[in-house]
Amino acid sequence: MAISEFNLITRYFTRPAQNPLISLGNGDDCALFRPGDGMQLAISSDMLVSGRHFFPDADPFYLGHKSLAVNLSDLAAMGAKPLAFTLSLALPDTNEAWLSRFSEGLFALANKYHCDLIGGDTTKGPLTISITILGEVPLEQALRRDNAKAGDDIWVSGTLGDARLALAAYQHEVQLHQDAHQIAAKRMHQPEPRVTLGQALRTFAHTAIDISDGLIGDLQHILNKSHIGATINVDNLPVGEILSQQSQVLQRQYALSGGDDYEICFTASQEHHAAILAISQQTGTPVTCIGQIDAAPGLRFIDQHKTPLDLHYTSFDHFSNT
Ligand code: ADP
Ligand code: MG
């Protein structure tokens, strides 16, 4: 017999809250908690839809991980510390093997960042996973998109493009050896949110954004909100381990516009260059300086010889790609 909605929530999605700020978790009409003194709440939602954001037969453990990871990544890009999240699920059926794996992947990441599941909603429907995450950040210290300054260095964490390369291989647009595909696919299925780096950057960074739709599309949000421009040195792009074995054209395309990277792009004054490198060391997160913010609007590309390049890419948009 199929498990009831109530038992499903109790069995797979109810764990005692760890954080003392949470006075009531799930099981009542609302959860109750308050942010710490001198803190403001940072709130963000991300939804994953079967067939749109993931393959219908995707491993539920990694789906659990990824649904929370993409939300944690938004908190990281704000410099916020994770506190709690809600989970709204539409499920086509109550497949307990699936639920068990999904919940394992979800809670493994939730525990790592001490982020408690405090509520949600569960209904029958086409597989859809929607999470709303709550974090806290000291007043006035959030890393917004509208504060980049001319002369700032532009930095990116980790490497770019391997998740997009893995997708291309699944879609038979690119051929990869099995081992290489597995490494790239890990970047696609199991992104590591840059939570520790994001919080450490609060002191020195002017702006930050997480890269979900491709570097240039996301950087463009910073440029628009801050009313400035930028120059990127494409030879400095931190190209993913597997992507770096592909042609230069593909490397540039996927690193600049691939999407699904969940790295952080941030800007900081040049005088803090050494401080940023020290933060990278302390947090164990590689960072690379890929260009500069300019007073003149627009996004320009140069190579290592400072030669201007005429590159055009489109970033991902759910409503322009059918
Ligand atoms: P209501 O009818 O008041 O909306 P529900 O029956 O939808 O309540 O949910 C009962 C309790 O279970 C609530 O506290 C809700 O937050 C929690 N809940 C429902 N679905 C989930 C889920 N997927 N994960 C965690 N908690 C959930
Ligand atoms: Mg409900």
Side-chain angles (χ1 to χ4, degrees):
M1 208 181 73
I3 186 172
S4 73
E5 177 189 331
F6 178 76
N7 285 336
L8 184 160
I9 295 165
T10 314
R11 188 171 303 167
Y12 298 108
F13 301 113
T14 304
R15 301 281 186 277
Q18 308 294 316
N19 189 327
L21 294 170
I22 296 162
S23 48
L24 190 62
N26 60 357
D28 208 314
D29 296 314
C30 294
L32 298 172
F33 87 102
R34 60 175 173 81
D37 295 337
M39 298 289 188
Q40 60 191 330
L41 285 179
I43 305 165
S44 181
S45 298
D46 254 309
M47 179 157 70
L48 298 186
V49 177
S50 177
R52 166 107 343 228
H53 300 95
F54 57 88
F55 297 121
D57 62 351
D59 183 332
F61 182 91
Y62 296 114
L63 266 185
H65 173 98
K66 188 164 176 176
S67 348
L68 184 57
V70 300
N71 279 277
L72 285 165
S73 178
D74 282 315
L75 287 186
M78 211 69 191
K81 181 177 159 213
L83 290 175
F85 66 104
T86 64
L87 169 69
S88 295
L89 276 178
L91 300 169
D93 51 46
T94 52
N95 176 339
E96 289 202 58
W98 190 96
L99 282 163
S100 170
R101 287 280 293 163
F102 176 83
S103 135
E104 269 175 46
L106 180 82
F107 281 111
L109 188 63
N111 292 342
K112 179 167 178 185
Y113 291 108
H114 311 289
C115 192
D116 290 312
L117 176 57
I118 56 167
D121 201 19
T122 308
T123 177
K124 187 165 175 157
L127 183 57
T128 304
I129 305 154
S130 177
I131 287 183
T132 294
I133 199 160
L134 303 149
E136 61 177 14
V137 58
L139 294 170
E140 307 292 329
Q141 286 188 31
L143 297 174
R144 300 161 51 129
R145 298 177 181 181
D146 57 3
N147 195 34
K149 313 276 187 223
D152 276 4
D153 287 327
I154 303 170
W155 298 83
V156 170
S157 67
T159 65
L160 302 171
D162 268 354
R164 180 64 184 85
L165 180 64
L167 178 64
Y170 282 123
Q171 294 174 330
H172 306 290
E173 291 164 14
V174 175
Q175 286 255 308
L176 290 181
H177 287 295
Q178 202 186 347
D179 293 355
H181 194 187
Q182 227 165 45
I183 295 170
K186 191 163 190 300
R187 294 297 309 269
M188 176 180 167
H189 298 305
Q190 220 179 353
E192 191 58 51
R194 300 302 194 178
V195 174
T196 316
L197 175 72
Q199 290 173 73
L201 287 174
R202 282 200 306 249
T203 329
F204 294 112
H206 283 151
T207 54
I209 190 167
D210 69 320
I211 306 172
S212 51
D213 296 334
L215 171 65
I216 51 176
D218 288 318
L219 175 61
Q220 194 66 54
H221 294 307
I222 290 184
L223 304 187
N224 293 344
K225 292 259 179 180
S226 300
H227 308 290
I228 34 79
T231 303
I232 292 182
N233 180 339
V234 296
D235 287 326
N236 282 355
L237 290 169
V239 173
E241 178 187 346
I242 306 302
L243 181 57
S244 65
Q245 298 155 22
Q246 300 287 321
S247 71
Q248 189 191 57
V249 171
L250 206 66
Q251 286 185 36
R252 287 179 178 174
Q253 185 187 336
Y254 287 176
L256 286 168
S257 69
D260 241 11
D261 297 302
Y262 299 101
E263 295 294 351
I264 305 283
C265 173
F266 59 98
T267 79
S269 164
Q270 273 176 18
E271 70 186 82
H272 295 316
H273 197 99
I276 298 291
L277 293 174
I279 286 173
S280 162
Q281 283 272 316
Q282 285 153 22
T283 60
T285 316
V287 297
T288 310
C289 181
I290 59 161
Q292 267 75 41
I293 294 290
D294 310 322
L299 180 55
R300 290 158 288 276
F301 301 102
I302 56 170
D303 68 9
Q304 59 189 330
H305 309 295
K306 297 203 160 64
T307 310
L309 301 173
D310 191 26
L311 301 176
H312 298 276
Y313 303 105
T314 50
S315 70
F316 187 73
D317 178 333
H318 280 288
F319 292 100
S320 68
N321 309 33
T322 61

